[in-house]
Amino acid sequence: MFKLGRTAYLCDGRIVYGQTAAFLGHSHIITVRRGSTRSHRPLRGHLEAAPDLLGKGGDYVLHAVLDFIVDGYLPLVTALEEEVAAMEQRMLDTFLDRAEIARIFALRRDLMRFDRILVPMEEVARKLAKNELPCVDAEARHYFRDVLDHVRRVEAMTSALRELLTSVFEFSNLIEQQRTGAIARQLAAWAAILAVPTAIAGIYGMNFEHMPELHSRYGYPATLAVILSVCSALYWRFRRARWL
C-alpha cells in the first residue's frame, strides 16, 4: 500500500511544501522524504523508545509518520495567527500601508493553497480510519481517527484565519473611509467659515462709486466685527457638530 503525505513549513513568511511517501507492506514500511527541512529523527527516536508499538506492525508506524506530519501544521498556522493578530492591532492604530495590504492578499493565496493540501490529507486519514485496507489492522484504525481529528482541527483554524484576514481588510477599508469622511467634513467646515470673509471682502472690493458704507466712519471696524462674529458662530457650531 502506498500513501503520500504533504509536509508544510514557514520560510520567510511563505508556506513551503514537501512530501513524505510511505510504502506499507505486511511486515515492513519504507518512507521517502523530499522537500522538507523538518527532520524525522525525533520521530524515529520516539518509535525506537517504544518497542511494543513497533512490534504491532508497520501500520502503527504509518500512523506515527502521518501524525508527525499533521502536527507540523499547527506551528505554521499558529505563527500566521500571531502575524494576523499583530496586523489587526496596527490596523486599529493607523492606516495599513500598501505592503501590508499586499501581505494580506499573499496570505489569503497561501492559505487557499494550504487548504487544497489539507483536503487530500483528510481523505487519506479518513480512508485509513474507516475503511478496511490491506496491511492495516482494525485496532490501528482507532489511531488514524486521531490523525483525522487533527487534520480537521487544522482545517478549522485555517478557515477561521482566512475569514479573519477578510475581516481585517474590510474593517481597514471602513476605518479609512471614516477618516477620509472626517477630513472631508473638516475641509467643508473651514471652507464655509472662510466663505464669509471672502464674500464680504468681495462685495467691498468692487470699485463702485455709490457705496454708502465707504464714507462711514465706523464702516471698517463694523465690517470686521461682522466677519468675526459670523466666523466665530460658524466655528462653534461646527465644533459642537464635531466637524472640527
Side-chain angles (χ1 to χ4, degrees):
M1 184 175 62
F2 172 77
K3 294 298 179 182
L4 183 67
R6 295 299 301 272
T7 59
Y9 64 97
L10 278 179
C11 181
D12 296 330
R14 302 300 301 271
I15 304 177
V16 181
Y17 300 95
Q19 63 183 23
T20 298
F23 302 86
L24 177 63
H26 289 283
S27 59
H28 66 277
I29 180 172
I30 301 173
T31 61
V32 179
R33 178 168 58 93
R34 183 174 69 87
S36 174
T37 60
R38 189 182 179 209
S39 175
H40 285 194
R41 288 183 179 179
L43 173 62
R44 179 174 179 177
H46 173 72
L47 291 174
E48 291 177 347
D52 295 339
L53 183 61
L54 287 176
K56 292 183 178 180
D59 47 356
Y60 290 87
V61 178
L62 177 61
H63 154 263
V65 172
L66 293 178
D67 191 55
F68 181 79
I69 292 174
V70 174
D71 285 345
Y73 298 157
L74 292 176
L76 180 155
V77 178
T78 301
L80 292 180
E81 285 179 340
E82 293 176 355
E83 180 182 355
V84 175
M87 190 180 299
E88 185 180 22
Q89 184 60 46
R90 290 196 301 273
M91 173 201 66
L92 296 175
D93 297 336
T94 183
F95 290 112
L96 294 181
D97 57 24
R98 185 180 181 87
E100 289 172 320
I101 297 297
R103 178 59 177 163
I104 288 177
F105 283 98
L107 282 175
R108 288 188 61 187
R109 288 194 300 269
D110 285 350
L111 290 173
M112 291 176 63
R113 184 183 178 189
F114 183 55
D115 192 55
R116 291 195 295 268
I117 297 299
L118 292 175
V119 172
M121 284 295 296
E122 182 184 5
E123 185 64 23
V124 169
R126 182 185 295 108
K127 287 182 178 179
L128 290 169
K130 298 183 178 180
N131 297 345
E132 293 185 2
L133 300 173
C135 306
V136 178
D137 295 338
E139 295 182 359
R141 291 204 293 267
H142 297 287
Y143 290 89
F144 290 111
R145 290 193 185 99
D146 183 61
V147 177
L148 178 60
D149 291 340
H150 288 179
V151 174
R152 288 173 174 171
R153 177 188 174 191
V154 174
E155 283 183 325
M157 294 172 65
T158 303
S159 177
L161 189 55
R162 286 204 313 270
E163 293 178 1
L164 179 59
L165 280 171
T166 302
S167 299
V168 168
F169 178 72
E170 292 177 350
F171 193 57
S172 175
N173 281 340
L174 289 176
I175 291 179
E176 186 172 356
Q177 292 174 7
Q178 182 183 21
R179 292 174 179 171
T180 302
I183 293 174
R185 288 195 299 270
Q186 289 179 350
L187 293 176
W190 282 113
I193 293 174
L194 294 176
V196 175
T198 301
I200 295 176
I203 292 174
Y204 286 97
M206 294 182 293
N207 296 320
F208 293 121
E209 180 178 356
H210 300 289
M211 296 182 69
E213 296 85 352
L214 296 179
H215 303 287
S216 173
R217 175 179 298 181
Y218 303 104
Y220 180 70
T223 301
L224 291 180
V226 171
I227 292 175
L228 290 175
S229 300
V230 176
C231 289
S232 297
L234 289 175
Y235 177 80
W236 289 110
R237 174 65 180 83
F238 292 139
R239 286 277 293 185
R240 291 182 62 184
R242 296 184 179 180
W243 282 25
L244 291 174

